[in-house]
PDB file of all heavy atoms in Angstrom:
ATOM      1  N   TYR D 796     -25.276  -4.270  24.158  1.00  0.00           N
ATOM      2  CA  TYR D 796     -24.566  -5.118  23.207  1.00  0.00           C
ATOM      3  C   TYR D 796     -25.474  -5.216  21.987  1.00  0.00           C
ATOM      4  O   TYR D 796     -26.598  -5.721  22.005  1.00  0.00           O
ATOM      5  CB  TYR D 796     -24.350  -6.560  23.823  1.00  0.00           C
ATOM      6  CG  TYR D 796     -23.680  -7.433  22.805  1.00  0.00           C
ATOM      7  CD1 TYR D 796     -22.410  -7.163  22.307  1.00  0.00           C
ATOM      8  CD2 TYR D 796     -24.361  -8.571  22.341  1.00  0.00           C
ATOM      9  CE1 TYR D 796     -21.836  -8.007  21.370  1.00  0.00           C
ATOM     10  CE2 TYR D 796     -23.766  -9.452  21.387  1.00  0.00           C
ATOM     11  CZ  TYR D 796     -22.526  -9.132  20.935  1.00  0.00           C
ATOM     12  OH  TYR D 796     -21.932  -9.973  20.024  1.00  0.00           O
ATOM     13  N   ASN D 798     -25.477  -6.769  18.113  1.00  0.00           N
ATOM     14  CA  ASN D 798     -24.709  -7.800  17.361  1.00  0.00           C
ATOM     15  C   ASN D 798     -25.386  -8.266  16.087  1.00  0.00           C
ATOM     16  O   ASN D 798     -26.571  -7.987  15.832  1.00  0.00           O
ATOM     17  CB  ASN D 798     -24.357  -8.975  18.265  1.00  0.00           C
ATOM     18  CG  ASN D 798     -25.532  -9.935  18.368  1.00  0.00           C
ATOM     19  OD1 ASN D 798     -26.719  -9.473  18.401  1.00  0.00           O
ATOM     20  ND2 ASN D 798     -25.283 -11.198  18.404  1.00  0.00           N
ATOM     21  N   LEU D 800     -25.332 -11.957  13.447  1.00  0.00           N
ATOM     22  CA  LEU D 800     -24.826 -13.326  13.192  1.00  0.00           C
ATOM     23  C   LEU D 800     -24.954 -13.588  11.717  1.00  0.00           C
ATOM     24  O   LEU D 800     -25.828 -14.243  11.224  1.00  0.00           O
ATOM     25  CB  LEU D 800     -25.677 -14.335  13.972  1.00  0.00           C
ATOM     26  CG  LEU D 800     -25.492 -14.387  15.497  1.00  0.00           C
ATOM     27  CD1 LEU D 800     -26.479 -13.387  16.139  1.00  0.00           C
ATOM     28  CD2 LEU D 800     -25.728 -15.795  16.005  1.00  0.00           C
ATOM     29  N   GLU D 938     -20.152 -14.271  14.123  1.00  0.00           N
ATOM     30  CA  GLU D 938     -20.806 -13.214  14.898  1.00  0.00           C
ATOM     31  C   GLU D 938     -19.880 -12.053  15.062  1.00  0.00           C
ATOM     32  O   GLU D 938     -18.642 -12.185  15.132  1.00  0.00           O
ATOM     33  CB  GLU D 938     -21.215 -13.806  16.234  1.00  0.00           C
ATOM     34  CG  GLU D 938     -21.946 -12.741  17.127  1.00  0.00           C
ATOM     35  CD  GLU D 938     -22.426 -13.323  18.468  1.00  0.00           C
ATOM     36  OE1 GLU D 938     -22.266 -14.570  18.659  1.00  0.00           O
ATOM     37  OE2 GLU D 938     -22.824 -12.541  19.357  1.00  0.00           O
ATOM     38  N   PHE D 980     -23.428 -14.777  25.708  1.00  0.00           N
ATOM     39  CA  PHE D 980     -24.440 -13.727  25.644  1.00  0.00           C
ATOM     40  C   PHE D 980     -25.818 -14.352  25.776  1.00  0.00           C
ATOM     41  O   PHE D 980     -26.059 -15.478  25.320  1.00  0.00           O
ATOM     42  CB  PHE D 980     -24.335 -12.977  24.292  1.00  0.00           C
ATOM     43  CG  PHE D 980     -23.005 -12.355  24.038  1.00  0.00           C
ATOM     44  CD1 PHE D 980     -22.095 -13.043  23.241  1.00  0.00           C
ATOM     45  CD2 PHE D 980     -22.660 -11.179  24.634  1.00  0.00           C
ATOM     46  CE1 PHE D 980     -20.804 -12.505  23.029  1.00  0.00           C
ATOM     47  CE2 PHE D 980     -21.423 -10.625  24.405  1.00  0.00           C
ATOM     48  CZ  PHE D 980     -20.512 -11.261  23.623  1.00  0.00           C
ATOM     49  N   ASN D 981     -26.690 -13.575  26.458  1.00  0.00           N
ATOM     50  CA  ASN D 981     -28.075 -14.044  26.545  1.00  0.00           C
ATOM     51  C   ASN D 981     -28.869 -13.440  25.409  1.00  0.00           C
ATOM     52  O   ASN D 981     -29.323 -12.299  25.516  1.00  0.00           O
ATOM     53  CB  ASN D 981     -28.655 -13.574  27.889  1.00  0.00           C
ATOM     54  CG  ASN D 981     -30.046 -14.143  28.151  1.00  0.00           C
ATOM     55  OD1 ASN D 981     -30.482 -15.020  27.451  1.00  0.00           O
ATOM     56  ND2 ASN D 981     -30.733 -13.644  29.169  1.00  0.00           N
ATOM     57  N   ILE D 982     -28.952 -14.150  24.258  1.00  0.00           N
ATOM     58  CA  ILE D 982     -29.515 -13.628  23.055  1.00  0.00           C
ATOM     59  C   ILE D 982     -30.668 -14.406  22.598  1.00  0.00           C
ATOM     60  O   ILE D 982     -30.587 -15.651  22.506  1.00  0.00           O
ATOM     61  CB  ILE D 982     -28.412 -13.617  21.970  1.00  0.00           C
ATOM     62  CG1 ILE D 982     -27.165 -12.803  22.466  1.00  0.00           C
ATOM     63  CG2 ILE D 982     -28.917 -13.012  20.678  1.00  0.00           C
ATOM     64  CD1 ILE D 982     -25.978 -12.951  21.554  1.00  0.00           C
ATOM     65  N   PRO D 983     -31.805 -13.746  22.343  1.00  0.00           N
ATOM     66  CA  PRO D 983     -32.930 -14.483  21.794  1.00  0.00           C
ATOM     67  C   PRO D 983     -32.556 -15.187  20.463  1.00  0.00           C
ATOM     68  O   PRO D 983     -31.734 -14.643  19.699  1.00  0.00           O
ATOM     69  CB  PRO D 983     -33.972 -13.372  21.553  1.00  0.00           C
ATOM     70  CG  PRO D 983     -33.541 -12.273  22.409  1.00  0.00           C
ATOM     71  CD  PRO D 983     -32.060 -12.336  22.473  1.00  0.00           C
ATOM     72  N   ALA D 984     -33.131 -16.305  20.197  1.00  0.00           N
ATOM     73  CA  ALA D 984     -32.905 -17.004  18.933  1.00  0.00           C
ATOM     74  C   ALA D 984     -33.413 -16.206  17.776  1.00  0.00           C
ATOM     75  O   ALA D 984     -34.524 -15.619  17.820  1.00  0.00           O
ATOM     76  CB  ALA D 984     -33.563 -18.399  18.951  1.00  0.00           C
ATOM     77  N   VAL D 985     -32.658 -16.093  16.687  1.00  0.00           N
ATOM     78  CA  VAL D 985     -33.077 -15.375  15.509  1.00  0.00           C
ATOM     79  C   VAL D 985     -32.696 -16.172  14.292  1.00  0.00           C
ATOM     80  O   VAL D 985     -31.912 -17.099  14.334  1.00  0.00           O
ATOM     81  CB  VAL D 985     -32.353 -14.010  15.434  1.00  0.00           C
ATOM     82  CG1 VAL D 985     -32.847 -13.127  16.600  1.00  0.00           C
ATOM     83  CG2 VAL D 985     -30.869 -14.170  15.438  1.00  0.00           C
ATOM     84  N   CYS D 991     -29.439  -9.480  15.338  1.00  0.00           N
ATOM     85  CA  CYS D 991     -29.815  -9.838  16.695  1.00  0.00           C
ATOM     86  C   CYS D 991     -29.410  -8.695  17.606  1.00  0.00           C
ATOM     87  O   CYS D 991     -28.293  -8.455  17.817  1.00  0.00           O
ATOM     88  CB  CYS D 991     -29.153 -11.182  17.081  1.00  0.00           C
ATOM     89  SG  CYS D 991     -29.415 -11.608  18.796  1.00  0.00           S
ATOM     90  N   LEU D 992     -30.374  -8.004  18.109  1.00  0.00           N
ATOM     91  CA  LEU D 992     -30.119  -6.803  18.900  1.00  0.00           C
ATOM     92  C   LEU D 992     -30.564  -7.002  20.293  1.00  0.00           C
ATOM     93  O   LEU D 992     -31.744  -7.285  20.585  1.00  0.00           O
ATOM     94  CB  LEU D 992     -30.884  -5.593  18.190  1.00  0.00           C
ATOM     95  CG  LEU D 992     -30.633  -4.222  18.791  1.00  0.00           C
ATOM     96  CD1 LEU D 992     -29.169  -3.859  18.643  1.00  0.00           C
ATOM     97  CD2 LEU D 992     -31.542  -3.203  18.138  1.00  0.00           C
ATOM     98  N   TYR D 993     -29.627  -6.806  21.230  1.00  0.00           N
ATOM     99  CA  TYR D 993     -29.974  -6.910  22.659  1.00  0.00           C
ATOM    100  C   TYR D 993     -29.495  -5.671  23.351  1.00  0.00           C
ATOM    101  O   TYR D 993     -28.385  -5.198  23.151  1.00  0.00           O
ATOM    102  CB  TYR D 993     -29.233  -8.098  23.245  1.00  0.00           C
ATOM    103  CG  TYR D 993     -29.453  -8.301  24.698  1.00  0.00           C
ATOM    104  CD1 TYR D 993     -30.615  -9.026  25.162  1.00  0.00           C
ATOM    105  CD2 TYR D 993     -28.582  -7.783  25.610  1.00  0.00           C
ATOM    106  CE1 TYR D 993     -30.793  -9.150  26.529  1.00  0.00           C
ATOM    107  CE2 TYR D 993     -28.773  -7.945  26.991  1.00  0.00           C
ATOM    108  CZ  TYR D 993     -29.891  -8.654  27.451  1.00  0.00           C
ATOM    109  OH  TYR D 993     -30.073  -8.783  28.770  1.00  0.00           O
TER     110      TYR D 993
END
Side-chain angles (χ1 to χ4, degrees):
Y796 178 63
N798 78 323
L800 289 89
E938 180 178 352
F980 304 98
N981 185 12
I982 303 170
V985 295
C991 174
L992 185 62
Y993 178 85

